[in-house]
């Protein structure tokens, strides 16, 4: 700023003539100033001006058009200098603002990047990676409805890594209706639903895994599935009558879960109810045998399994004879 003002002063007063030794009329001073400025404009150094700074740009244009405006300034200690040149004064841009306006915004995307669920949704993937709490249920059901609306013929891929309505330590974090809500949404879809278990599928999450389209229910080699009875939420200081009501509701949810698992796994209700008396863990092979999934996702597995002989072929090659009735 100081160098700029010195340059403006140089337009008006020649450096070789002391300003106090010459007394001339005011109009004569102005004409001399303008003539001298026009004659020596090419010789005077002009400081660099940031084109992004509105204050310096305005000041430079005023100095070039009418230098007397810069020279004959009223002195007012209560007002910052030169702000009266603006019709609507604005503060000078800070160095950080100038830096962002010059370099950073050139490489910054015009719109913010999408979040991870939106990126997965673009690939028709719905990922359940948390226990089934109301916020998760809301998002999953909305995504399923949206994907069906976008294309009712393309399949939807449901990836599951969830402990259901409980945490891994067994503490209840959501009502059983959270899992039933997602299950009902799956049953209403026109699309095929390909379910994939990655990590864990416990309780209600195991039900969602088995509810996929038959032939398209998958499981990673080291994933785990587990079915268990619904848990009664913490009763705290509830009256005994309220605790009994909650217990009856838990039994109702258990019976519903048993019936749905029996329907999708192909087992009888008695078989499912019997194994659910205690937590029933299944690795990928056991889950396939129980009917929770159809295939194990293992790179190259199809080729390896195709080369494995059937159990009867193993017995025949080993010389074992199978007797009727055994």
């Amino acid at each position: 700023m100081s160098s700029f003002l010195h340059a403006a002063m140089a337009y008006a007063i020649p450096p070789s003539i002391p300003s106090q030794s010459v007394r001339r009329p005011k109009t004569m001073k102005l004409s001399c100033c303008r003539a001298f400025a026009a004659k020596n404009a090419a010789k005077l150094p002009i400081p660099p001006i940031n084109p992004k700074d509105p204050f310096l740009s305005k000041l430079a244009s005023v100095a070039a058009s009418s230098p007397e405006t810069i020279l004959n300034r009223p002195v007012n200690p209560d007002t910052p200098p030169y702000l009266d040149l603006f019709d609507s004064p604005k503060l000078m841009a800070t160095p950080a603002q100038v830096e962002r306006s010059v370099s950073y915004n050139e490489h910054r995307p015009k719109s913010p990047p999408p979040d991870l669920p939106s990126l997965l949704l673009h690939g028709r993937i719905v990922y359940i990676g948390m226990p089934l709490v109301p916020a998760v249920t809301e998002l999953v059901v909305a995504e399923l409805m949206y994907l069906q609306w976008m294309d009712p013929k393309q399949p939807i891929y449901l990836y599951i890594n969830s402990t259901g309505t409980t945490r891994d330590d067994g503490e209840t974090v959501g009502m059983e209706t959270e899992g039933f809500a997602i299950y009902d949404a799956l049953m209403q879809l026109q699309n095929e639903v390909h379910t994939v278990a990655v990590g864990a599928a416990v309780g209600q999450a195991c039900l969602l895994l088995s509810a996929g389209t038959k032939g398209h229910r998958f499981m990673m080699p080291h994933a785990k599935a587990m079915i268990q009875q619904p848990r009664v939420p913490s009763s705290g200081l509830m009256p005994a009558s309220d605790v009994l009501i909650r217990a009856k509701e838990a039994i109702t949810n258990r019976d519903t879960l048993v019936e749905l698992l029996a329907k999708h796994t192909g087992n009888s209700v008695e078989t499912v109810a019997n194994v659910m008396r205690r937590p029933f863990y299944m690795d990928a092979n056991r889950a396939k045998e129980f009917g929770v999934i159809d295939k194990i996702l293992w790179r190259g597995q199809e080729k390896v399994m195709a080369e494995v002989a059937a159990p009867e072929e193993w017995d025949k090659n080993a010389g074992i004879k199978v007797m009727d009735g055994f």
Side-chain angles (χ1 to χ4, degrees), residues 179-201:
F180 293 145
I182 300 177
Y183 172 82
D184 289 340
L186 289 176
M187 295 298 101
Q188 296 297 322
L189 294 178
Q190 303 177 22
N191 311 70
E192 287 187 353
V193 180
H194 299 189
T195 55
V196 183
V198 289

Side-chain angles (χ1 to χ4, degrees), residues 22-259:
V22 180
R23 295 181 178 272
R24 296 177 182 177
K26 186 175 181 180
T27 55
M28 188 175 182
K29 282 185 181 181
L30 295 177
S31 59
C32 291
C33 290
R34 292 175 180 174
F36 187 83
K39 182 178 180 181
N40 298 284
K43 300 180 182 180
L44 294 175
I46 299 177
I49 299 174
N50 184 359
K52 300 291 184 180
D53 195 317
F55 182 83
L56 293 182
S57 301
K58 178 68 175 180
L59 199 61
S61 62
V62 172
S65 60
S66 56
E68 67 276 4
T69 307
I70 304 296
L71 294 176
N72 302 322
R73 304 297 304 163
V75 179
N76 187 358
D78 299 330
T79 305
Y82 304 107
L83 282 185
D84 57 327
L85 298 177
F86 293 86
D87 296 332
S88 57
K90 298 180 181 179
L91 294 179
M92 185 185 302
T94 63
Q97 292 173 341
V98 174
E99 177 66 22
R100 287 195 297 268
S101 64
V102 174
S103 61
Y104 181 72
N105 283 348
E106 294 178 359
H107 308 285
R108 184 177 182 179
K110 295 182 179 180
S111 61
D115 54 313
L116 182 58
S118 300
L119 290 175
L120 295 177
L121 198 64
H122 182 70
R124 303 189 64 82
I125 296 174
V126 177
Y127 178 54
I128 303 177
M130 294 178 61
L132 301 181
V133 296
V136 174
T137 303
E138 176 187 7
L139 177 62
V140 171
V141 172
E143 289 180 337
L144 294 174
M145 295 170 60
Y146 172 77
L147 291 176
Q148 179 182 236
W149 176 78
M150 287 293 294
D151 194 340
K153 297 182 180 180
Q154 292 296 324
I156 298 173
Y157 304 94
L158 180 62
Y159 284 73
I160 301 172
N161 180 22
S162 173
T163 56
T165 55
T166 61
R167 290 199 305 225
D168 53 356
D169 58 357
E171 181 181 352
T172 302
V173 295
M175 298 179 63
E176 298 298 313
T177 51
E178 305 297 338
F180 293 145
I182 300 177
Y183 172 82
D184 289 340
L186 289 176
M187 295 298 101
Q188 296 297 322
L189 294 178
Q190 303 177 22
N191 311 70
E192 287 187 353
V193 180
H194 299 189
T195 55
V196 183
V198 289
V202 177
Q204 292 277 0
C206 186
L207 171 63
L208 300 180
L209 174 63
S210 66
T213 304
K214 288 292 182 69
H216 300 284
R217 302 173 301 174
F218 307 99
M219 199 168 179
M220 295 294 182
H222 301 98
K224 295 289 184 181
M226 190 263 278
I227 54 177
Q228 62 182 356
Q229 297 189 35
R231 306 296 180 92
V232 179
S234 177
S235 57
L237 300 178
M238 284 186 178
S241 58
D242 293 356
V243 175
L244 180 60
I245 292 174
R246 288 204 171 196
K248 290 182 178 179
E249 180 63 19
I251 293 175
T252 302
N253 292 332
R254 180 202 62 187
D255 295 340
T256 304
L257 183 60
V258 168
E259 292 176 1

